[in-house]
């Protein structure tokens, strides 16, 4: 049960066994979607009382399920965070920890759920559950990574946009204030026109009436289109480079650079390259956790990982491998391994590992030697 929970709650962890992870992930994702669906349907004005109580009951059930998940995440935080210090406090203070808490508000404050009914504030809390999806939608961390990477250029683009917006709104205020004193009553009033125009939305609720106002409005629209394209361009290139970084392909040359395979002939290296699966791990993310069942071993192509062993953690870099001990002993992971920086790995799953070891006794001997040395070092 504990293993199932660890595997299930460690959504993105590559080392966690597949089936528990899939089952627990599916359960949580279905609960999130149900929570949002129920909260949305509950706002329908002509819903009859029967359905309303069904939805209220379902929302409570879902919130209860989220409460169990929350307790499990707190209890297992040290394992899920790869034994990082103060893991529980970190989780409780993290954005996702806050979202997990908000999602269970309907049961920790029964007055909200049962008294006022779902239709009001509780509905918003249920909607907040949508943010829990951040753990499971791999594209969301990608968006955050791109935003972080391009933060400086995005900020510069947004600042220019802001300067032009304020300047254009101020000019429009002076051009239109006599013709439409109510609509362009002040520069802050004119800012609404500026935002709607430069955003190329154009609700049409505030429009210039004077000739000069319209001429200037036309120019602002064109400038707005050009300025809005800049952040879009920055994001597009950011996404392209981030995706290229993550979806690298396993080349013959990459496999040949691994010292363990360097002495093999070309056709064998090509055969091994077909078995290895590329894997990108962002910095500070656990790749395998101590005590977990094992399903693969990993070769480091780029980056650095830390093996959390006492008293001094060991760092491994390009060309080195890890995760072999549990495959050889057919036991559990002997240590937690975390990517220190963005790391590219090649994963060899347990079935292919066994086949490879049978076909290449020399490789098996070399891997066993390293595993034994590592075990001896740890006493
Ligand atoms: P495994 O037990 O499958 O998972 C944890 C991995 O950490 C382990 O395999 C080794 O690959 C690696 N490891 C354990 N001890 C050491 C060590 N002393 N030096 C380097 N790597 C180690």
């Amino acid at each position: 049960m504990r293993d199932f929970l660890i595997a299930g709650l460690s959504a993105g962890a590559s080392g966690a066994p597949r089936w528990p992870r899939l089952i627990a992930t599916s359960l949580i994702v279905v609960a999130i979607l149900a929570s949002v669906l129920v909260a949305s349907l509950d706002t329908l004005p002509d819903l009859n009382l029967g359905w309303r109580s069904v939805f209220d009951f379902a929302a409570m059930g879902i919130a209860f399920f989220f409460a169990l998940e929350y307790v499990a995440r707190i209890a297992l935080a040290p394992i899920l965070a790869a034994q990082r210090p103060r893991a529980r406090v970190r989780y409780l203070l993290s954005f996702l920890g806050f979202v997990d808490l908000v999602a269970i508000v309907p049961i920790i404050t029964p007055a909200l759920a049962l008294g006022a009914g779902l239709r009001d504030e509780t509905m918003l809390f249920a909607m907040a559950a949508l943010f829990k999806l951040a753990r499971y939608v791999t594209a969301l961390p990608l968006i955050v990574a791109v935003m972080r990477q391009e933060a400086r250029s995005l900020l510069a683009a947004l600042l220019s946009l802001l300067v032009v917006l304020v300047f254009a709104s101020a000019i429009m205020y002076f051009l239109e204030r006599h013709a439409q004193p109510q609509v362009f009553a002040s520069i802050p009033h004119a800012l609404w026109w500026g935002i709607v125009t430069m955003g190329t939305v154009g609700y049409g609720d505030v429009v210039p009436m004077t000739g000069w106002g319209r001429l200037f409005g036309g120019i602002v629209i064109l400038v707005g289109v050009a300025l809005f394209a800049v952040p879009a361009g920055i994001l597009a290139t950011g996404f392209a480079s981030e995706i290229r970084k993550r979806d690298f392909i396993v080349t013959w040359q990459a496999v040949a650079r691994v010292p363990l395979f360097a002495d093999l002939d070309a056709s064998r290296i090509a055969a091994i390259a077909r078995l290895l699966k590329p894997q990108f791990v962002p910095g500070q993310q656990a790749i395998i956790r101590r005590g977990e069942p094992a399903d693969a071993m990993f070769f480091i192509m780029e980056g650095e990982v830390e093996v959390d062993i006492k008293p001094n953690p060991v760092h491994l870099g390009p060309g080195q491998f890890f995760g072999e001990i549990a495959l050889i002993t057919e036991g559990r992971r002997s240590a937690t391994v975390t990517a220190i920086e963005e790391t590219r790995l090649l994963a060899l799953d347990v079935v292919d590992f066994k086949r490879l070891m049978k076909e290449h006794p020399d490789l098996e001997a070399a891997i066993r030697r390293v595993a034994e040395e590592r075990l001896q070092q740890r006493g």
Side-chain angles (χ1 to χ4, degrees), residues 288 294 307 309 314 316 321-327 332-337 374 377-378:
I288 54 184
V307 185
I309 47 174
V314 174
L316 302 175
F321 58 82
F322 60 91
E324 78 293 354
I325 295 180
L327 295 193
R332 305 225 156 203
R333 295 297 190 192
S334 61
T336 294
V337 182
R374 287 175 172 174
Q377 272 172 25
R378 303 175 57 180

Side-chain angles (χ1 to χ4, degrees), residues 170-190:
I171 292 187
M172 192 51 102
Y173 162 69
F174 283 108
L175 291 175
E176 289 290 318
R177 68 189 156 146
H178 296 306
Q180 305 184 70
Q182 302 257 301
V183 183
F184 288 91
S186 65
I187 292 182
H189 279 85

